[in-house]
């Protein structure tokens, strides 16, 4: 096959088998919570304590979760490929990719294990609970700390780097995402316009944009992602 530059996009489906819920599946987070309440700047302004409690619960859940065979396979792929040739772009705010060993990784929707001070903009590691009284370790301000998470209506992170990689890639793989949230949902279309890149969807069910992918495989991520990676490695990337 001989792919030289890969961009791999992941979504909540890759972490489902680690015990972290998805958003839109049956029992998904957005069937139990109003996303306007917990994932918008307006919701945070209205009731910061409620928003902190939502992310505190998710941070606690993440402490119990472990990466599985799909996260590990993507780390294996990166390690086997020439440095910098595999970019992993995740919509997930969990840290399971890095715990599995992925290094060239962009968290376009932020990170659950980091906080940001709205007063001085400092971003810091934070694995414990956060409250309305949490104090910034940098500027000392209290009441300005928020999860380092991209909410609806905010700009996803590192978009210039992501589009540069999409423009340069010859293989784009989308894993475990419903393809409903832009800009990530538009990446396949962006790559297809260049025509030279191969596009692959790996998911439990066909996503919103499944017909845009040249190749599609359906099943649990823990099975189909290692299979796909083994095939790439066997055929040489
Ligand atoms: P969704 O919950 O929208 O979609 C999860 C996808 O994973 C679905 O298409 C499922 O079929 C698939 N899936 C479920 N279990 C799977 C498994 N074991 N193996 C493989 N696939 C599986 O999650 P995302 O597409 O990631 O944004 O959602 C995108 C964004 O919407 C999130 O980053 C989040 C959310 O609102 C923000 O919070 C900003």
């Amino acid at each position: 096959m001989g792919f030289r530059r890969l961009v791999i996009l992941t979504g909540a489906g890759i972490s489902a088998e680690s015990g972290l819920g998805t958003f839109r599946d049956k029992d998904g987070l957005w069937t139990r919570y109003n996303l306007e309440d917990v994932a918008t700047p307006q919701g945070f302004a209205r009731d910061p304590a409620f928003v902190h409690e939502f992310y505190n619960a998710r941070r606690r859940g993440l402490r119990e979760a472990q990466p599985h065979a799909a996260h590990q396979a993507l780390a294996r792929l990166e390690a086997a490929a020439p440095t910098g040739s595999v970019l992993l772009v995740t919509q997930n705010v969990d840290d399971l990719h890095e715990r599995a060993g992925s290094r060239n990784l962009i968290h376009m929707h932020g990170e659950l294990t980091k906080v940001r001070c709205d007063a001085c903009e400092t971003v810091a590691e934070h694995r414990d609970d956060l409250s309305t009284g949490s104090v910034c370790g940098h500027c000392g301000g209290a009441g300005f700390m928020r999860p380092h998470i991209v909410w609806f209506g905010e700009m996803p992170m590192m978009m210039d780097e992501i589009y540069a990689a999409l423009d340069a890639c010859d293989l784009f793989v989308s894993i475990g995402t419903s393809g409903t949230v832009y800009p990530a949902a538009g990446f396949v279309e962006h790559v297809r316009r260049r025509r030279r890149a191969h596009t692959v969807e790996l998911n439990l069910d066909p996503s919103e944009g499944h017909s845009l992918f040249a190749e599609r495989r359906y099943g649990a991520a823990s099975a189909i992602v290692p299979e796909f990676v083994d095939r790439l490695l066997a055929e040489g990337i």
Side-chain angles (χ1 to χ4, degrees), residues 12-63:
I14 198 166
S15 295
E17 291 161 86
S18 294
L20 302 179
T22 63
F23 295 96
R24 296 174 182 77
D25 293 309
K26 192 170 145 296
D27 300 329
L29 274 177
W30 297 157
T31 67
R32 288 179 283 129
Y33 288 88
N34 228 333
L35 75 80
E36 288 79 12
D37 291 339
V38 295
T40 62
Q42 295 80 3
F44 187 55
R46 263 197 313 272
D47 193 347
F50 184 68
V51 174
H52 281 315
E53 203 32 64
F54 174 79
Y55 290 100
N56 288 342
R58 299 191 64 202
R59 221 174 274 118
R60 284 182 223 130
L62 181 54
R63 284 203 288 267

Side-chain angles (χ1 to χ4, degrees), residues 12-13 17 23-24 30 91 109 150 152 177-178 203-205 221:
E17 291 161 86
F23 295 96
R24 296 174 182 77
W30 297 157
Q91 299 169 88
H109 289 169
V150 177
F152 286 89
T177 173
S178 60
N203 207 29
L204 194 58
D205 308 301

Side-chain angles (χ1 to χ4, degrees), residues 14-236:
I14 198 166
S15 295
E17 291 161 86
S18 294
L20 302 179
T22 63
F23 295 96
R24 296 174 182 77
D25 293 309
K26 192 170 145 296
D27 300 329
L29 274 177
W30 297 157
T31 67
R32 288 179 283 129
Y33 288 88
N34 228 333
L35 75 80
E36 288 79 12
D37 291 339
V38 295
T40 62
Q42 295 80 3
F44 187 55
R46 263 197 313 272
D47 193 347
F50 184 68
V51 174
H52 281 315
E53 203 32 64
F54 174 79
Y55 290 100
N56 288 342
R58 299 191 64 202
R59 221 174 274 118
R60 284 182 223 130
L62 181 54
R63 284 203 288 267
E64 310 297 313
Q66 298 300 329
H68 64 74
H71 301 97
Q72 284 151 3
L74 295 180
R76 194 154 45 84
L77 177 65
E78 182 187 332
T83 308
S85 60
V86 178
L87 175 66
L88 188 52
V89 178
T90 188
Q91 299 169 88
N92 298 344
V93 297
D94 66 54
D95 61 354
L96 298 182
H97 283 308
E98 43 274 63
R99 275 158 57 189
S102 287
R103 293 290 168 260
N104 198 23
L105 170 67
I106 293 177
H107 277 279
M108 64 178 290
H109 289 169
E111 293 170 72
L112 198 51
T113 54
K114 291 185 178 165
V115 292
R116 186 163 83 237
C117 175
D118 260 344
C120 74
E121 308 262 293
T122 298
V123 175
E125 291 269 333
H126 192 95
R127 290 169 193 274
D128 302 322
D129 285 0
L130 204 58
S131 76
T132 51
S134 294
V135 174
C136 174
H138 185 71
C139 73
F144 296 104
M145 302 306 278
R146 58 162 282 178
H148 187 50
I149 301 242
V150 177
W151 287 326
F152 286 89
E154 297 182 323
M155 190 64 87
M157 295 172 186
M158 299 184 73
M159 292 310 296
D160 290 348
E161 288 83 352
I162 295 172
Y163 280 115
L166 291 171
D167 286 340
C169 78
D170 52 10
L171 174 62
F172 173 70
V173 187
S174 172
I175 304 174
T177 173
S178 60
T180 48
V181 176
Y182 284 82
F187 290 171
V188 60
E189 188 89 69
H190 185 92
V191 167
R192 259 168 53 112
R193 260 185 251 127
R194 299 175 57 253
R195 290 183 187 278
R196 282 189 298 123
H198 185 49
T199 54
V200 182
E201 165 162 288
L202 306 177
N203 207 29
L204 194 58
D205 308 301
S207 70
E208 283 285 311
H210 69 278
S211 59
L212 297 171
F213 290 87
E215 184 181 340
R216 296 163 245 172
R217 284 153 193 260
Y218 298 108
S222 62
I224 60 175
V225 175
E227 251 169 54
F228 181 77
V229 165
D230 287 345
R231 199 187 90 202
L232 273 181
L233 291 177
E235 293 175 11

